[in-house]
Amino acid sequence: MGLIKIVGGLLIILSTSLIGFCYGNRYSKRMNNLIYMEQCLKILETEIVYGAVPLPEALSNVYKKGNKKVSFVFEDIKNHLLEDKTGDIYQSFKSVAGTLNEKLDFTKEDVEIFLSLGRVLGSSDRQDQEKNFKLILNQIAILEKEAKLERDKNEKMYKNLGILAGIAIVIILL
Amino acid sequence: MDEKEIGIYENVLEYISLELSQILKKIPDTYKSNVEEIRLRNNAPLSIYIKGSDFFITEEGIPTKNKDKARLVNGKEIIKTFQLISNYSLYAFEEEIRNGFITLKGGHRVGIGGKVLYGNNGIETIKNISSLNIRIAREKIGVSDGVIKYIVAFPRTIHNTLIISPPQCGKTTILRDIIRNLSNGLPIFGGAGLKVGVIDERSEIAGMYNGIPQHDIGIRTDVLDGCNKRDGTTMLLRAMSPEVIAMDEIGSISDVEAIHESLKAGVKVIATVHGNTLEDILSRRSLSILIKDKIFKRYIFLDNSKGVGTVKDIIEGDSFTSIKK
């Protein structure tokens, strides 16, 4: 009887800590992904502003050169663009909004800024594209800072909360 | 033959916005294989040009002469088509847009109409695109087989040749085919070919796309794409050691200088020019110098009396008499 109680208690603590851990982990994942996204956008900027590479090829290159954890969205955008044929880049960007939110833990605000790139990408000359990239990279840098603050604030808290909640439940049940 | 022509037409439709291309796909095959131009104009009927006359296209894809039945093109469709043509990448086509056209894969050309913006260095870009003219390139391999014997000289060289023709009569087509013939080698020369340097200022001869010529221009041909004739001649002479230099649409003083430059280096020239008769050309000051100096030994006149690229006459350049048999 005692053994079952101990094992049961441990299981509860384990699972709640896991929940806390996952919850807290989202913050560092978001921050890391924002950093990878920034790198990808910088690659894209180089492709466009200095290489004048046509967009589908540029997106493909970003996928190849960037960190695969994030750069796969650019390949998705490219595929959508080539299949869709409606001639609207913004739609192709929109098609990955869900993925950004679910797989990369981006907040609504992050996604919004990324999508704003879709509105201007490819629709002007190189000089103008460079300006747009600067603007968006600036915004992403701000988001990164914010993500770091939030991570520092929340990550530990959620992790501790998970363990403590588990212990609390066990104590009540005992 | 027809199958191939229809294929070319359908490839071009890939670049047109979905709503319009679905309509254009429905036109009868006999039209498809002959379409020369597809015209999109803001709030105007969708139309195609075939052998010099135009047809409007209805919603059901039926060519008609009645403009009231035609499908109107809207601004959104033009923008979408333009996006597809520029591969979603205006920035990659800055130079082309400044020149007023974009070359597509397959050598087809799209002319652009809209609001032209000027910057510090001349034309900056075109915005508010209002019309697009998609010219379908149909290379006609073998059209120059009949003229080539008038051009060649022995041993293994050619006469300086000027091709004179009104627009839409196949100037560039015949020039391209002459280049192909010379470059691939001729039976008259025992199969030997000439090294040909092409200065393709308007990207019409070779139709370069991503560094690959979209038309057959022969195996001994080097192309300077988008280069002006003066600079191109110097560049070719410096390092490419051409035996023949080919250029399209000469006219300005600097083009004439380019031709003189090649002659000095002992390189033969083939060029084309807009015009109907020799008098037309003589009336243009820069070109009249070339003719008075008897630089060209052969003048080929084209018209479209028996279809595009009909050779009307061939004139010998020293005596100005016809040598066409």
Side-chain angles (χ1 to χ4, degrees):
Chain A
M1 201 56 192
L3 190 71
I4 295 175
K5 266 188 183 169
I6 291 169
V7 172
L10 279 177
L11 272 175
I12 288 172
I13 293 173
L14 205 73
S15 46
T16 52
S17 338
L18 211 68
I19 292 170
F21 200 77
C22 286
Y23 218 74
N25 220 12
R26 286 193 335 183
Y27 292 93
S28 44
K29 249 175 96 184
R30 175 185 169 216
M31 199 191 89
N32 287 337
N33 287 338
L34 277 173
I35 293 172
Y36 294 143
M37 178 58 82
E38 189 189 1
Q39 288 166 353
C40 286
L41 290 179
K42 276 182 177 157
I43 298 170
L44 188 61
E45 184 187 9
T46 315
E47 292 282 329
I48 287 176
V49 177
Y50 300 101
V53 182
L55 199 58
E57 210 186 317
L59 291 170
S60 239
N61 287 344
V62 174
Y63 169 65
K64 281 178 212 147
K65 293 179 191 167
N67 188 307
K68 296 281 184 296
K69 271 185 197 153
V70 171
S71 70
F72 72 91
V73 289
F74 291 91
E75 185 78 359
D76 288 354
I77 292 172
K78 183 198 111 181
N79 290 337
H80 186 273
L81 199 62
L82 294 183
E83 275 161 28
D84 192 40
K85 290 229 171 285
T86 54
D88 195 345
I89 304 169
Y90 184 62
Q91 291 304 326
S92 301
F93 267 71
K94 249 181 154 172
S95 76
V96 297
T99 320
L100 290 174
N101 201 303
E102 285 155 25
K103 288 198 184 155
L104 300 182
D105 291 300
F106 279 10
T107 63
K108 223 174 153 192
E109 197 187 349
D110 304 340
V111 175
E112 204 45 57
I113 283 174
F114 183 70
L115 290 188
S116 71
L117 181 68
R119 288 206 184 87
V120 293
L121 198 64
S123 61
S124 56
D125 61 8
R126 277 189 279 183
Q127 254 181 344
D128 191 60
Q129 294 283 304
E130 193 174 5
K131 275 184 211 152
N132 284 317
F133 268 109
K134 233 177 221 157
L135 187 73
I136 283 174
L137 285 170
N138 266 338
Q139 282 172 314
I140 289 199
I142 293 168
L143 288 178
E144 269 173 36
K145 258 186 211 153
E146 184 203 297
K148 189 170 182 294
L149 278 178
E150 260 183 42
R151 185 200 63 174
D152 292 345
K153 206 169 71 187
N154 294 328
E155 194 179 19
K156 245 191 190 139
M157 185 189 81
Y158 277 111
K159 280 180 189 170
N160 291 338
L161 201 69
I163 300 169
L164 291 175
I167 294 173
I169 292 168
V170 171
I171 290 171
I172 291 167
L173 287 181
L174 280 176
Chain B
M1 180 64 191
D2 257 347
E3 200 98 313
K4 192 185 151 211
E5 300 283 311
I6 292 169
I8 292 175
Y9 174 78
E10 281 177 353
N11 279 340
V12 172
L13 293 188
E14 297 273 300
Y15 293 97
I16 297 176
S17 90
L18 208 61
E19 295 91 344
L20 294 177
S21 69
Q22 271 167 351
I23 295 172
L24 287 165
K25 227 170 236 164
K26 284 187 267 187
I27 69 167
D29 282 356
T30 43
Y31 286 88
K32 279 185 187 173
S33 55
N34 287 308
V35 175
E36 286 160 18
E37 289 181 355
I38 302 170
R39 293 227 168 226
L40 312 184
R41 297 186 183 96
N42 215 340
N43 288 329
L46 174 65
S47 55
I48 53 174
Y49 265 74
I50 294 178
K51 291 183 183 146
S53 76
D54 62 344
F55 292 91
F56 304 118
I57 309 292
T58 65
E59 185 76 51
E60 291 76 39
I62 302 159
T64 167
K65 285 278 184 189
N66 182 352
K67 68 175 188 307
D68 298 325
K69 285 188 187 158
R71 163 75 150 77
L72 294 182
V73 178
N74 62 43
K76 223 173 173 181
E77 286 159 345
I78 290 194
I79 292 169
K80 281 181 177 175
T81 307
F82 191 57
Q83 289 271 30
L84 287 169
I85 286 165
S86 63
N87 211 348
Y88 307 96
S89 324
L90 274 191
Y91 55 83
F93 291 95
E94 280 171 42
E95 197 59 45
E96 283 88 344
I97 291 166
R98 259 176 236 151
N99 289 332
F101 67 84
I102 292 177
T103 305
L104 299 179
K105 193 173 178 204
H108 316 291
R109 284 178 49 182
V110 183
I112 308 159
K115 163 93 183 134
V116 176
L117 291 184
Y118 277 90
N120 292 332
N121 311 313
I123 294 175
E124 195 131 89
T125 185
I126 300 178
K127 67 167 193 177
N128 302 342
I129 310 288
S130 57
S131 59
L132 294 170
N133 172 21
I134 302 160
R135 287 180 68 176
I136 300 180
R138 301 192 189 274
E139 56 176 340
K140 301 219 164 45
I141 290 180
V143 283
S144 72
D145 292 356
V147 273
I148 210 94
K149 62 175 182 281
Y150 297 104
I151 302 172
V152 293
F154 293 95
R156 217 177 70 81
T157 178
I158 63 158
H159 296 293
N160 294 322
T161 304
L162 186 63
I163 300 166
I164 301 162
S165 136
Q168 293 274 311
C169 285
K171 257 186 321 287
T172 310
T173 314
I174 209 156
L175 175 67
R176 185 187 303 132
D177 204 54
I178 289 174
I179 295 168
R180 181 188 62 86
N181 263 323
L182 295 175
S183 163
N184 277 345
L186 293 166
I188 305 181
F189 295 150
L194 296 164
K195 287 182 276 182
V196 186
V198 176
I199 304 167
D200 200 359
E201 192 167 0
R202 298 164 184 229
S203 307
E204 263 184 318
I205 305 176
M208 281 291 189
Y209 180 86
N210 272 348
I212 302 159
Q214 299 292 309
H215 299 301
D216 186 356
I217 49 166
I219 51 174
R220 295 182 186 85
T221 307
D222 306 299
V223 182
L224 286 177
D225 187 30
C227 186
N228 84 40
K229 288 155 198 127
R230 186 80 187 74
D231 298 337
T233 311
T234 320
M235 284 159 76
L236 281 175
L237 291 177
R238 203 177 281 151
M240 301 306 273
S241 71
E243 288 161 307
V244 176
I245 290 182
M247 48 181 93
D248 211 2
E249 319 234 333
I250 56 168
S252 69
I253 293 280
S254 81
D255 296 348
V256 174
E257 280 171 12
I259 290 172
H260 278 292
E261 181 104 345
S262 350
L263 295 178
K264 254 188 280 170
V267 176
K268 301 293 179 184
V269 174
I270 308 180
T272 69
V273 69
H274 271 300
N276 278 314
T277 60
L278 205 56
E279 284 71 48
D280 280 355
I281 313 300
L282 275 167
S283 66
R284 286 153 75 175
R285 221 160 48 99
S286 52
L287 296 174
S288 68
I289 307 168
L290 289 174
I291 293 171
K292 282 179 189 143
D293 289 353
K294 299 194 169 166
I295 284 177
F296 290 107
K297 300 296 177 204
R298 296 287 183 270
Y299 298 96
I300 301 176
F301 291 89
L302 303 178
D303 63 13
N304 55 4
S305 56
K306 289 177 199 139
V308 171
T310 311
V311 178
K312 191 168 70 175
D313 203 0
I314 296 170
I315 287 177
E316 204 272 334
D318 285 326
S319 57
F320 295 109
T321 51
S322 172
I323 52 167
K324 187 178 180 234
K325 278 170 223 144

